[in-house]
Amino acid sequence: MERLSYKTLEKLGFEGYLMPEGTERVLQFGEGNFLRAFVDYFIDLANERTGWGTKVVVAQPIAQGRSEDINRQDGLYTVYLRGLENGEQVIRKRVVSSISRALNPYEDYGALLACAANPDLRYIVSNTTEAGIAFDENSRFDEEPPGSFPAKLTRFLYERYSCFKGEAGKGLVILSCELIDHNGDELKRCVGQYTELWKLEPEFAGWLDREVIFCSTMVDRIVTGYPRAEAETLNAQNGYEDLLLDTGEVFAIWVIEGPKELEDELPFKKAGLPVIVAEDCTPYKKRKVRMLNGVQTTMVLASYLSGQDIVRKCMEDPAIYSFMERCVYDEIIPVLTEYPKEELEDYAAGLFDRLCNPFIDHSLLAISLNTTSKWKARVLPTVREYQAATGGLPPRLTAGFAAYVMFYRGERLEENALVAHRGETEYRICDDMEVLRFFEAHKSDSPVELAGAVCRNEAFWGGDLTEIPGFLELVTEYLQLFEREGVHRVFELLGN
């Protein structure tokens, strides 16, 4: 079977959209599954629907990467998006042709710098993992390439500035897709630090301020990557071998925090794609964190303790599904008063479609990582706002906290994890070491004693949770119910 390429597709009589030639307007740091099924996929659709004619040059951000595979396939790869829309199963297959070529700066750094001289270049996209946006004082200007990603970007921007002698209109738009808060702002800060560290001229710093737009963005799509179990079957169906097969969910949203003019400059809105240019990403992120992440954090540990292992199976359990529905509609949506209720309910409907996705086996234990900080950021604000608005407590969110206390009752600390048991099954609790040491120190506490100690731990929550009227008492009540009748019984009671 031949590898995927333009020639192979021609032999097969391929009739879908392909764009062999185009203008390289985008440089992308990162060639992994996420960007290829998200940004590059959107660009490909925009090319087809609007005639944008834009190609992406991808640069692998670390020494080990996929540039060779990408070039062997002429930049082509197949994406399968699978999931539910309005409760109906959807499968979308597309051969993406938006990538022109891939660069390995660790083998040919000059090829990367040469892109700076391209007058058509306008956008830089990055997704170098959460740890990628960090200042490393050991990264040097004269390295080939510099060590950290912000250092690579600073060196590239300086090359751009030098090639065009600081000309107005030759600046770039930076679209940071790393999963950290205010990613664009943080990247800009790091670039400023390297400008100072390397003693680059003040004129360059002025050009950065005037001509380079650093955009924070919020990205949202689950990308499951290369489908190892299905790859042989899919390749046989397609009639070609594709080592870059990529899979993900149907749902997606990309919010770009930037000037209004970008909405007209970028053709995504014209193409009918879920890309929003906004003055502030915060409202979109808050909605996602409070609703999608909040309900997941609330149900995951309780669901695991009740005997479930993956999200999809939880959604097939009527009691858990009803519990989650009431959590979202009765406890989370009512406090998000700055959003139109209809908009929140539409988002909630899509949220449940995502969680029910029959093509994704999302492990509950994988989601359980670092639940302490997740609960503080995703759930605690809703609890406080609900209590302030109603004078009472949200029962399902509080039950989720009780499940957190029960789940974290470990027995021994080993290899950066606290080991616990669900019946005969051993599981590992993974969190910050200070959290794990706290729970190990309290391993002999009764559930009620432990709940009190956890609630009073101001280092975890930024305050004493026993000061929330009735909170500790309700948590204690649920813990006693867990022990007396089982966790699933609480799902049944609170789902009605």
Side-chain angles (χ1 to χ4, degrees):
M1 188 181 299
E2 293 187 26
R3 284 284 290 273
L4 173 61
S5 67
Y6 284 108
K7 186 176 181 180
T8 301
L9 292 179
E10 184 179 358
K11 287 181 182 178
L12 293 171
F14 180 81
E15 296 180 350
Y17 172 82
L18 292 174
M19 192 183 77
E21 303 294 334
T23 302
E24 292 182 341
R25 294 188 177 92
V26 180
L27 173 64
Q28 180 173 290
F29 286 90
E31 80 291 30
N33 296 322
F34 178 78
L35 286 179
R36 289 190 292 107
F38 190 76
V39 174
D40 302 330
Y41 184 87
F42 286 158
I43 291 172
D44 199 57
L45 286 171
N47 286 336
E48 179 180 16
R49 295 176 184 178
T50 72
W52 192 23
T54 289
K55 283 283 193 176
V56 181
V57 181
V58 300
Q60 59 185 62
I62 58 175
Q64 297 76 37
R66 306 298 303 273
S67 58
E68 185 176 341
D69 287 332
I70 291 171
N71 289 329
R72 281 190 63 191
Q73 294 189 182
D74 296 338
L76 299 172
Y77 58 96
T78 314
V79 172
Y80 288 86
L81 300 180
R82 306 180 290 190
L84 300 178
E85 283 186 344
N86 301 316
E88 297 294 322
Q89 194 172 112
V90 172
I91 300 176
R92 297 193 180 110
K93 170 194 163 186
R94 183 179 184 88
V95 176
V96 175
S97 60
S98 56
I99 293 176
S100 60
R101 57 197 172 109
L103 306 176
N104 182 352
Y106 294 86
E107 294 182 355
D108 188 356
Y109 184 49
L112 175 61
L113 290 183
C115 294
N118 173 10
D120 295 311
L121 186 68
R122 176 58 175 161
Y123 308 97
I124 293 181
V125 174
S126 69
N127 184 21
T128 55
T129 78
E130 295 92 310
I133 300 182
F135 177 74
D136 175 10
E137 63 182 11
N138 296 312
S139 294
R140 303 192 319 272
F141 180 89
D142 58 358
E143 287 180 287
E144 296 189 0
S148 73
F149 164 60
K152 292 180 179 71
L153 178 61
T154 307
R155 178 67 183 87
F156 185 87
L157 290 171
Y158 186 79
E159 188 74 12
R160 177 78 169 182
Y161 163 80
S162 300
C163 285
F164 293 99
K165 299 179 173 57
E167 181 182 338
K170 290 298 189 287
L172 301 173
V173 176
I174 315 296
L175 301 169
S176 173
C177 298
E178 287 79 5
L179 298 178
I180 62 171
D181 288 341
H182 308 293
N183 39 30
D185 296 333
E186 185 62 20
L187 185 53
K188 182 178 181 179
R189 186 184 67 80
C190 291
V191 169
Q193 287 180 288
Y194 284 114
T195 300
E196 291 182 10
L197 178 68
W198 295 341
K199 296 180 171 55
L200 302 178
E201 56 263 40
E203 291 79 8
F204 171 63
W207 181 81
L208 285 176
D209 286 337
R210 292 189 310 273
E211 301 293 332
V212 179
I213 303 172
F214 288 83
C215 297
S216 292
T217 82
M218 188 203 80
V219 298
D220 191 6
R221 166 172 275 165
I222 296 171
V223 173
T224 41
Y226 186 78
R228 295 188 182 280
E230 305 169 84
E232 185 176 349
T233 300
L234 294 176
N235 283 330
Q237 291 172 354
N238 293 331
Y240 55 74
E241 182 185 23
D242 184 355
L243 296 184
L244 300 168
L245 278 169
D246 208 353
T247 61
E249 66 172 336
V250 175
F251 176 88
I253 185 171
W254 188 15
V255 183
I256 299 171
E257 188 174 286
K260 190 66 176 175
E261 304 81 64
L262 271 182
E263 189 171 65
D264 296 324
E265 181 180 323
L266 292 164
F268 297 129
K269 184 177 181 180
K270 182 180 177 183
L273 297 169
V275 182
I276 299 167
V277 177
E279 291 183 1
D280 186 3
C281 286
T282 305
Y284 298 94
K285 180 172 183 180
K286 180 179 176 181
R287 182 182 66 181
K288 172 184 178 286
V289 167
R290 294 289 194 94
M291 294 181 69
L292 174 62
N293 302 131
V295 74
Q296 272 196 320
T297 300
T298 297
M299 59 75 72
V300 159
L301 304 188
S303 297
Y304 182 79
L305 292 173
S306 75
Q308 299 290 356
D309 293 306
I310 61 174
V311 172
R312 178 165 48 80
K313 289 297 183 181
C314 296
M315 306 308 289
E316 294 171 2
D317 183 314
I320 298 177
Y321 190 97
S322 296
F323 171 93
M324 293 174 67
E325 273 196 318
R326 293 202 62 186
C327 183
V328 170
Y329 288 99
D330 295 353
E331 300 179 13
I332 299 176
I333 286 179
V335 304
L336 296 176
T337 54
E338 66 268 48
Y339 303 87
K341 186 177 180 182
E342 183 178 339
E343 176 186 303
L344 294 175
E345 291 178 346
D346 286 345
Y347 184 84
L351 178 161
F352 282 97
D353 276 348
R354 298 177 71 185
L355 295 174
C356 291
N357 193 332
F359 298 98
I360 296 178
D361 291 343
H362 207 167
S363 162
L364 298 180
L365 287 180
I367 302 171
S368 77
L369 270 58
N370 302 310
T371 292
T372 307
S373 59
K374 288 177 179 176
W375 196 88
K376 178 185 177 183
R378 300 171 173 183
V379 185
L380 179 56
T382 304
V383 172
R384 291 191 183 280
E385 290 168 18
Y386 186 99
Q387 198 278 330
T390 69
L393 290 168
R396 295 155 198 88
L397 297 180
T398 308
F401 185 85
Y404 158 79
V405 173
M406 190 171 182
F407 181 92
Y408 269 62
R409 290 186 71 201
E411 298 157 13
R412 66 183 187 277
L413 191 60
E414 62 177 40
E415 296 180 2
N416 299 319
L418 191 60
V419 178
H421 277 84
R422 180 187 67 180
E424 298 298 316
T425 303
E426 191 173 88
Y427 67 89
R428 296 168 64 81
I429 304 162
C430 299
D431 210 314
D432 291 341
M433 282 306 301
E434 65 178 89
V435 174
L436 300 180
R437 291 192 184 103
F438 170 86
F439 279 97
E440 185 192 32
H442 289 269
K443 65 184 179 183
S444 299
D445 288 5
S446 69
V448 174
E449 291 171 335
L450 180 58
V454 172
C455 285
R456 294 185 183 94
N457 191 324
E458 296 187 21
F460 286 2
W461 320 117
D464 185 343
L465 299 187
T466 64
E467 295 177 0
I468 301 174
F471 184 75
L472 176 58
E473 291 77 8
L474 188 56
V475 169
T476 300
E477 184 179 323
Y478 285 130
L479 282 169
Q480 292 169 336
L481 189 58
F482 288 163
E483 289 208 321
R484 189 169 64 249
E485 300 190 36
V487 177
H488 197 268
R489 177 59 179 155
V490 177
F491 280 129
E492 292 173 344
L493 291 171
L494 295 179
N496 292 327

